[in-house]
Amino acid sequence: MIDKKVYKILFFAWWAVILVLTSYPKLRSPVDDSLNFDKLAHCLVYFIYAWLFVKMHGNNISSKTLKKLLLLALIIPLFDELHQIPIPGRGFSGWDILADLIGFAIVIFIFRKKISNRRSSHYED
């Protein structure tokens, strides 16, 4: 089992990767953009970011952790889009924020389900 400290390092390293990649002038997608590869990439990048956030809080996932994740989901994608405004070829995109939020939402859904299952198993005991 990976230690919470390792997940914490990975969480902050992943944020640094996101900032570096979104600080470059517009990168061309190797895949035809008609497939909306960009939005899928946003969703996946923020899914991983949210997953690392939850894992750095350990296996005892609480409602409090998910509330923090929800707050993070409201702040980080907005910050990421705002910081891209002055970068050549980049700009603010509400669609990118929506794709980011979907990545967060999937993780929130998964861990809310785990919390719900854990609570219902306690009632059955």
Side-chain angles (χ1 to χ4, degrees):
M1 180 143 222
I2 297 176
D3 187 66
K4 289 188 326 183
K5 291 177 187 176
V6 173
Y7 281 116
K8 189 173 190 174
I9 292 167
L10 291 172
F11 172 78
F12 287 106
W14 193 250
W15 175 238
V17 167
I18 292 171
L19 282 177
V20 167
L21 290 177
T22 59
S23 295
Y24 282 106
K26 186 68 173 170
L27 301 173
R28 295 204 76 161
S29 172
V31 179
D32 181 15
D33 203 30
S34 65
L35 298 174
N36 273 330
F37 178 77
D38 178 61
K39 301 308 175 253
L40 183 60
H42 274 268
C43 185
L44 180 62
V45 164
Y46 279 93
F47 171 88
I48 293 168
Y49 185 64
W51 186 271
L52 290 171
F53 178 83
V54 172
K55 295 303 282 184
M56 92 176 169
H57 285 85
N59 288 327
N60 188 13
I61 306 306
S62 67
S63 295
K64 184 178 179 180
T65 300
L66 290 180
K67 286 177 185 172
K68 289 179 186 177
L69 181 58
L70 184 58
L71 181 61
L72 195 67
L74 296 172
I75 294 171
I76 296 300
L78 178 62
F79 172 81
D80 185 33
E81 289 302 312
L82 289 172
H83 109 273
Q84 293 181 63
I85 291 172
I87 299 169
R90 294 219 177 239
F92 187 92
S93 170
W95 292 111
D96 287 352
I97 290 175
L98 180 61
D100 300 344
L101 290 175
I102 290 170
F104 274 102
I106 293 168
V107 172
I108 290 169
F109 175 79
I110 290 168
F111 284 98
R112 283 196 67 198
K113 188 76 173 154
K114 283 186 175 189
I115 290 170
S116 176
N117 288 345
R118 195 173 5 166
R119 286 181 182 156
S120 65
S121 71
H122 286 304
Y123 292 124
E124 292 173 2
D125 291 341

